[in-house]
Amino acid sequence: YKLKLRDLPGIGWKLDRKLQANHLESVKDVLALGDEAKNKLCSLLGAGNGRKLLDYIDGKDDRPVESAKRKTIGAECNYGVRFDGHYGPDYMMMMIA
């Protein structure tokens, strides 16, 4: 219930400002409206945005999930590094992973 409405997808600074002007800052504030939530949000944000926000609050999200493109990272180690004791190359690789 502590989740801010601003943290939901599609709620930018402009919509957030409208919501805050009407004392709606968190999911808890919207749920406190009860049955009036849909009418209030639709009148403030428009029918589409109001329904979408209510769906997000209810945990419904019909946007397609796309897999992220794989990326690589690199690390550089110069020749001046000395591996002594149990802090060897394996330990270094674990720390940079």
Side-chain angles (χ1 to χ4, degrees), residues 77-85 87-89 92:
C77 181
N78 65 28
Y79 291 106
V81 174
R82 301 285 184 261
F83 297 112
D84 295 325
Y87 294 108
M92 185 190 87

Side-chain angles (χ1 to χ4, degrees), residues 25-68:
E25 295 183 22
S26 68
V27 170
K28 183 178 181 178
D29 297 334
V30 174
L31 293 176
L33 294 174
D35 294 336
E36 191 59 31
K38 183 178 180 180
N39 292 335
K40 175 102 173 177
L41 289 176
C42 288
S43 68
L44 284 174
L45 309 177
N49 283 334
R51 282 194 305 269
K52 189 179 351 176
L53 180 58
L54 277 175
D55 284 345
Y56 290 154
I57 289 172
D58 288 337
K60 301 173 190 169
D61 187 358
D62 61 354
R63 295 176 298 163
V65 176
E66 297 177 9
S67 60

